[in-house]
Amino acid sequence: MYRGSGIGRQLMDWVEQYARQQGCEIMVLDAYVTNHSARRFYERMGYQVLGHHFVKSL
């Protein structure tokens, strides 16, 4: 319904600006490997994949 309306970009821009004001130097995001739309969105926002997040249910 709201996908493609720019709300996600506005939110991410605000969070990044706030993080810079607080002295943060990096942002770290997690998304499921099956969530292809999230990956495309984050890559458009300038994020890059640097590794894998491993999880094991016990």
Side-chain angles (χ1 to χ4, degrees):
M1 180 172 176
Y2 295 105
R3 187 169 285 171
S5 66
I7 293 173
R9 178 172 287 279
Q10 289 176 7
L11 178 61
M12 292 298 292
D13 287 344
W14 184 89
V15 170
E16 289 178 18
Q17 179 182 358
Y18 180 79
R20 284 186 190 94
Q21 291 171 350
Q22 300 305 306
C24 297
E25 297 179 7
I26 64 168
M27 297 273 293
V28 178
L29 302 168
D30 282 329
Y32 288 108
V33 295
T34 56
N35 192 342
H36 303 290
S37 60
R39 181 172 176 168
R40 283 190 303 271
F41 173 73
Y42 294 139
E43 287 174 344
R44 280 195 310 270
M45 294 293 300
Y47 291 82
Q48 56 185 316
V49 177
L50 294 181
H52 297 281
H53 184 106
F54 291 90
V55 176
K56 180 180 180 179
S57 295
L58 302 177

